[in-house]
Amino acid sequence: MEKLPFERPVINKINAGVSDKFGMKSANRCISHIDGVAVKDMISEYGSPVYVISEKTIRSTYQAALTAFQTRYPKVQFAWSYKTNYINAVCKVFHQEGSWAEVVSGFEYSKAIANGVPGSKIIFNGPDKSRTDLTKAIENGSLIHIDHFDEFYEIVSITELINKKAKVAIRVNMDAGIYPVWDRFGFNYENGEAWSAINKIMVEPNMELMGLHTHIGTYITTPGAYAIATSKLSALAVRIEHKYKHHIKYIDLGGGFASKNTLKGAYLPGSDTCPTFDDYAEAITNALNNSEIQYEHMPTLFLESGRALIDDAGSLLGSVLANKRLADGRRSTIIDIGVNMLFTAFWYEHNIVPAQQSPSFTEDTTIYGPLCMNIDVIRGAIQFPALNKGDQVVISRIGAYNMTQWMQFINYRPNVVMIDLNSKTHVIRKNEDHESMNSLDVVPTYLEKINL
Ligand SMILES: *Cc1c(COP(=O)(O)O)cnc(C)c1O
């Protein structure tokens, strides 16, 4: 008879099926398929772990957001926040849906151009735009959102040199009730700095003030903050109309809509507390429609929503490496997904479930990643069933920021796969391997020979 693995018994109070302060515990869900494709098939074909993107979820989420805004305001334009997920295939889906590109570096700018986005449909944000980047953006007629006065003077000097007008907006930071205020980006509203920047731009012959921009923060769960931000930008637009008879073309409310992920320490799950796109749209469009901006000069509403549009479309599939008991008797499970692949594990309690039917009895478990680092904790404490080595797990809602902030560390970065609308899978970013990882290393010749 095959020898069964021994596990030291632990006495535990059974609380499966017993209600807690949140009500009845939901049955231990299992995600065996994503968009009709079996998790085990994807792992066997593309390896473990593997990132999976649902094209269907991207498109339906985008359409839901667009509908929420377009039914309330006539001129709406989304711009895809590249830093949230800049896998080219993902960007392309957003661009097919009509989204422009919102970039925050020369690297992202080049990516957007290579993805076929016309320069005039790229919004260039952020505090780091080199002279070369700015020159390219001015030549292409991109919308440059000025972050600070040094950038303003740099743009003036470039436009004088190449004799071309720059299309600009300013980023405005403000007290919208979200603290701390992100006053490190852009020009402050309350202390008059934003108004001074506008005055400088308006008298600058080589600059055309196209719009006003703000990005008040991220994972903002209070739509009212957007109403305040919209009112403040509208007030600036009206002031520009009064003083210069100039009508700006757009107001850009940035991103920051929350996703349904649960923040660490949150009392209720994010899926219960996250406002809907309708909530955000209602706050923003009411503030715009009720502003003093003249009806015939209503600006286009730009939105740069990132995480709320992509989080749900991403999943990470992985496998159990081992189970072990910690010194105090608690169960721990080690999986092959580390925090280097799941950067957002530092602030979210990610939803992690088995990919196959598993026992309904759960136990308080710590889920560790595979890294030889103490900080590699995917979930500090989760009610989890006992899985065997080799069993598979799915971590959902990981589409935002993980495929950009990931770190190559200890292991290679895995494949990223997209499931198309016909449930066909495509590798959209290849896994790293020995060759690709070593292709950038250069060993000076005097170190070639080693003496062992
Ligand atoms: C990061 C960023 C976004 C996207 O933010 P989310 O919180 O992911 O929606 C949009 N605009 C700017 C300027 C950003 O820096």
Side-chain angles (χ1 to χ4, degrees):
M1 192 184 121
E2 194 194 344
K3 198 174 168 209
L4 296 172
F6 173 78
E7 197 185 320
R8 184 164 67 92
V10 170
I11 296 175
N12 241 310
K13 191 173 87 180
I14 292 191
N15 42 27
V18 178
S19 60
D20 62 14
K21 64 185 172 186
F22 301 119
M24 287 300 284
K25 246 195 215 95
S26 53
N28 201 6
R29 222 156 45 91
C30 135
I31 299 180
S32 62
H33 289 71
I34 297 172
D35 288 359
V37 186
V39 168
K40 68 172 167 25
D41 292 347
M42 286 191 275
I43 286 183
S44 73
E45 188 165 356
Y46 303 109
S48 180
V50 58
Y51 290 90
V52 173
I53 299 270
S54 158
E55 180 183 345
K56 189 166 128 202
T57 306
I58 300 182
R59 292 191 191 270
S60 61
T61 309
Y62 180 82
Q63 282 301 325
L66 188 67
T67 304
F69 282 90
Q70 273 186 340
T71 49
R72 293 175 167 87
Y73 192 75
K75 293 186 275 183
V76 179
Q77 180 60 55
F78 278 82
W80 175 239
S81 157
Y82 264 49
K83 78 168 186 288
T84 310
N85 187 319
Y86 45 57
I87 305 276
N88 289 334
V90 169
C91 298
K92 289 274 198 176
V93 173
F94 280 104
H95 298 323
Q96 277 193 349
E97 289 287 336
S99 206
W100 293 13
E102 184 272 328
V103 303
V104 292
S105 68
F107 157 68
E108 290 186 0
Y109 189 94
S110 303
K111 243 180 181 306
I113 293 282
N115 280 333
V117 181
S120 60
K121 295 187 174 177
I122 299 177
I123 295 172
F124 200 174
N125 279 322
D128 170 22
K129 308 180 188 88
S130 71
R131 193 171 170 94
T132 317
D133 300 338
L134 286 170
T135 308
K136 213 184 298 172
I138 296 165
E139 278 167 349
N140 291 338
S142 303
L143 301 169
I144 303 169
H145 289 183
I146 304 174
D147 187 77
H148 41 70
F149 283 115
D150 281 334
E151 188 176 308
F152 168 84
Y153 293 119
E154 186 86 315
I155 295 172
V156 171
S157 112
I158 298 169
T159 55
E160 282 166 358
L161 195 71
I162 65 173
N163 198 21
K164 188 161 184 323
K165 254 187 155 176
K167 291 188 155 79
V168 302
I170 54 163
R171 174 156 174 177
V172 181
N173 69 65
M174 61 181 72
D175 181 351
I178 300 298
Y179 308 107
V181 170
W182 283 14
D183 59 354
R184 55 167 292 184
F185 299 112
F187 303 92
N188 186 254
Y189 176 83
E190 283 80 16
N191 72 6
E193 196 189 25
W195 182 235
S196 314
I198 289 169
N199 283 307
K200 275 181 184 293
I201 292 170
M202 290 309 298
V203 298
E204 179 52 55
N206 284 334
M207 278 189 183
E208 187 182 357
L209 184 68
M210 304 291 290
L212 295 169
H213 171 232
T214 189
H215 173 64
I216 55 174
T218 192
Y219 202 95
I220 308 283
T221 50
T222 42
Y226 285 93
I228 297 172
T230 309
S231 302
K232 290 187 173 176
L233 291 188
S234 303
L236 284 176
V238 170
R239 227 171 144 185
I240 296 166
E241 287 183 355
H242 282 168
K243 182 164 174 185
Y244 297 101
K245 310 279 173 281
H246 175 76
H247 308 289
I248 56 161
K249 302 264 190 312
Y250 65 88
I251 279 185
D252 182 344
L253 266 297
F257 300 162
S259 81
K260 298 191 193 73
N261 261 306
T262 304
L263 286 178
K264 285 198 167 175
Y267 188 66
L268 291 169
S271 49
D272 289 357
T273 54
C274 174
T276 62
F277 288 123
D278 287 297
D279 296 333
Y280 292 114
E282 190 72 8
I284 292 171
T285 59
N286 269 344
L288 262 182
N289 288 328
N290 298 335
S291 75
E292 301 287 313
I293 303 175
Q294 294 164 18
Y295 177 72
E296 60 275 26
H297 297 299
M298 288 305 271
T300 299
L301 170 60
F302 276 70
L303 297 154
E304 305 168 346
S305 186
R307 76 174 71 242
L309 293 183
I310 190 69
D311 233 1
D312 282 6
S315 307
L316 243 176
L317 321 184
S319 309
V320 172
L321 298 176
N323 285 298
K324 69 202 278 187
R325 290 280 164 195
L326 301 175
D328 62 3
R330 266 180 314 130
R331 171 191 286 281
S332 75
T333 295
I334 308 170
I335 61 173
D336 59 2
I337 298 168
V339 289
N340 57 331
M341 282 177 221
L342 193 65
F343 200 79
T344 52
F346 291 116
W347 51 86
Y348 286 149
E349 301 282 22
H350 276 292
N351 183 44
I352 169 163
V353 297
Q356 55 283 302
Q357 286 303 330
S358 47
S360 59
F361 171 66
T362 62
E363 189 181 333
D364 200 23
T365 305
T366 300
I367 299 184
Y368 291 113
L371 307 177
C372 201
M373 288 277 281
N374 200 36
I375 56 160
D376 193 22
V377 182
I378 297 297
R379 284 294 301 266
I382 180 175
Q383 282 296 318
F384 209 65
L387 298 189
N388 294 312
K389 177 178 160 64
D391 280 354
Q392 293 161 351
V393 296
V394 176
I395 308 183
S396 22
R397 291 202 177 107
I398 59 90
Y401 296 102
N402 288 304
M403 279 155 257
T404 49
Q405 288 185 289
W406 52 6
M407 273 182 282
Q408 189 279 316
F409 181 56
I410 299 184
N411 280 320
Y412 301 125
R413 278 177 285 201
N415 279 312
V416 182
V417 171
M418 182 180 275
I419 307 175
D420 72 14
L421 302 178
N422 301 314
S423 296
K424 198 167 162 311
T425 52
H426 308 262
V427 172
I428 57 170
R429 190 178 193 275
K430 287 189 220 158
N431 62 287
E432 293 165 342
D433 57 17
H434 180 80
E435 199 183 328
S436 65
M437 276 315 302
N438 278 280
S439 66
L440 298 176
D441 272 39
V442 181
V443 178
T445 43
Y446 74 95
L447 291 176
E448 266 171 15
K449 191 165 168 291
I450 56 171
N451 317 307
L452 295 177

